[in-house]
């Protein structure tokens, strides 16, 4: 049927090419794409697929689509209505689903899952396995520089005077061990669901849709003891490509290396260094030596041939 969504590419000059049109059998209502380290794009659809509850797919830059997983095949232990994916440093993809789980089937409170590039899915956690750990996750995860994933649920927690709980913040290891980090109580916000962002100072930041002093939402910071790091933009490129390095307190930097190979650089500000990928660089971490210590990138920089 028409209206199920598309995948497209568009040039900087505005020329658009439709790469794939979903027809419900292969998914409907696609979420945002991410590009994997293999060059293909990976995504989810909220609805459609073999059972009607969403899919995980990959699509090549040329438009060849492969459905990797159809959600909710029988008891919905794998989840239903998935959100946007994130690729972990181990190469696998991680995500959340708004319903389903191993405890109550489709009526479950949602899941966290892992899926390989070949489509092998593992349900890492089903919400409801702990008292008020959260319900109906509706935002993507973020992998912090400690290797763990952090996320939020818009309901659950049972804090404050909220219909379904005011929401929670949680941590989950790549192996599936979940820890509830915070339960909102309306005074500090209600319904966190925009997704978390890790600052290079190690703190996590996010927003809530409502609650707070004026009942119109909040911007919050969550400190979980993570150390500072640097982030390269882009995260891959050939020798000679320009790279911006984002960080905190970068003033006075004395060294920039790509997996141990020194690079010439310019400190543009206390939060930005401009550099280029040096000759001889190989795939690995970017490191910046500052007066406060050595900062390492949160992901490896991939040197392209």
């Amino acid at each position: 049927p028409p209206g199920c969504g598309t995948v497209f590419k568009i040039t900087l000059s505005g020329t658009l090419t439709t790469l794939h049109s979903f027809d419900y059998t292969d998914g409907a209502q696609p979420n945002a794409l991410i590009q994997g380290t293999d060059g293909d794009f990976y995504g989810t659809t909220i609805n459609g697929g073999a059972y009607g509850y969403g899919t995980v797919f990959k699509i090549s830059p040329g438009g060849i689509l492969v459905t990797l997983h159809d959600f909710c095949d029988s008891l919905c232990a794998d989840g239903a209505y998935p959100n946007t994916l994130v690729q972990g440093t181990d190469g696998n993809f991680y995500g959340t689903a708004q319903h389903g789980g191993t405890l109550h089937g489709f009526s479950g409170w949602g899941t966290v899952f892992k899926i390989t590039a070949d489509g092998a899915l593992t349900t890492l956690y089903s919400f409801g396995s702990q008292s008020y750990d959260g319900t109906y996750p509706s935002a993507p995860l973020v992998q912090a520089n400690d290797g763990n994933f952090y996320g939020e649920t818009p309901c659950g927690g049972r804090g404050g005077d909220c219909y379904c709980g005011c929401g929670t913040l949680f941590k989950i290891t790549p192996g599936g061990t979940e820890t509830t980090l915070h339960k909102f109580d309306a005074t500090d916000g209600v319904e966190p669901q925009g997704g978390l962002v890790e600052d290079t100072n190690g703190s996590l930041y996010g927003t809530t849709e409502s609650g707070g002093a004026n009942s119109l939402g909040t911007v919050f910071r969550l400190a979980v003891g993570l150390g500072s790091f640097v982030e390269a933009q882009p995260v891959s490129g050939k020798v000679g490509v320009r790279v911006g390095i984002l960080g905190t307190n970068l003033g006075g930097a004395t060294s920039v290396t790509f997996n141990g190979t020194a690079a010439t650089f310019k400190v543009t500000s206390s939060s930005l260094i401009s550099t280029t990928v040096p000759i001889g660089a190989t795939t690995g971490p970017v490191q910046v030596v500052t007066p406060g210590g050595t900062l390492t990138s949160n992901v490896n920089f991939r040197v392209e041939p």
Side-chain angles (χ1 to χ4, degrees), residues 144-147 198-205 221-232 245-251 270-271 285-299:
N145 62 322
D146 63 351
E198 186 185 18
D199 190 271
T200 53
N201 64 13
S203 294
L204 297 164
Y205 292 82
R221 178 182 67 189
L222 177 69
V224 290
L226 303 180
S228 297
F229 62 96
V230 290
E231 179 178 342
I245 300 175
L246 304 176
T248 303
N249 298 325
L250 299 180
S270 62
S271 59
V286 175
Q287 288 190 320
V288 178
V289 177
T290 72
T294 299
L295 302 174
T296 302
S297 59
N298 55 336
V299 296

Side-chain angles (χ1 to χ4, degrees), residues 48-271:
Y51 311 107
Y53 296 102
T55 69
V56 178
F57 66 88
K58 72 175 177 180
I59 186 167
S60 70
I64 299 174
L65 184 137
V66 177
T67 299
L68 298 177
H69 184 78
D70 293 284
F71 281 92
C72 206
D73 57 349
S74 56
L75 298 177
C76 284
D78 54 350
Y81 309 132
N83 303 301
T84 301
L85 300 171
V86 61
Q87 187 172 29
T89 54
D90 60 1
N92 295 313
F93 298 88
Y94 294 79
T96 57
Q98 298 175 37
H99 286 268
T102 58
L103 299 177
H104 307 292
F106 176 76
S107 298
W109 292 348
T111 68
V112 178
F113 62 86
K114 173 179 73 174
I115 187 168
T116 68
D118 296 324
L121 185 139
T122 302
T123 301
L124 296 177
Y125 186 75
S126 296
F127 286 94
S129 61
Q130 297 181 31
S131 177
Y132 309 129
D133 55 354
T135 59
Y136 314 131
S138 57
L141 300 168
V142 61
Q143 187 174 32
N145 62 322
D146 63 351
N148 295 314
F149 295 89
Y150 293 80
E152 51 194 16
T153 66
C155 293
R158 294 300 181 190
D161 185 18
C162 301
Y163 173 72
C164 64
C166 298
T168 70
L169 303 176
F170 65 89
K171 174 180 76 173
I172 187 165
T173 68
T177 301
E178 191 267 357
T179 303
T180 302
L181 301 174
H182 183 75
K183 298 177 181 180
F184 287 90
D185 64 6
T187 64
D188 55 4
V190 176
E191 292 188 56
Q193 56 180 326
L196 297 171
V197 175
E198 186 185 18
D199 190 271
T200 53
N201 64 13
S203 294
L204 297 164
Y205 292 82
T207 59
T208 64
E209 285 204 354
S210 59
N214 301 312
S215 300
L216 297 175
T218 65
V219 178
F220 63 84
R221 178 182 67 189
L222 177 69
V224 290
L226 303 180
S228 297
F229 62 96
V230 290
E231 179 178 342
Q233 292 291 340
V235 296
S236 64
K238 298 181 178 181
V239 169
V241 73
R242 293 179 61 84
V243 176
I245 300 175
L246 304 176
T248 303
N249 298 325
L250 299 180
T254 58
S255 172
V256 172
T257 57
F258 286 72
N259 201 26
T261 301
T264 58
F265 65 94
K266 177 183 178 181
V267 178
T268 303
S269 70
S270 62
S271 59

Side-chain angles (χ1 to χ4, degrees), residues 34-42 87 91 93 302:
I34 63 169
Q35 188 170 28
T37 55
D38 60 0
D40 289 331
F41 294 90
Y42 291 78
Q87 187 172 29
F93 298 88
R302 181 164 52 90

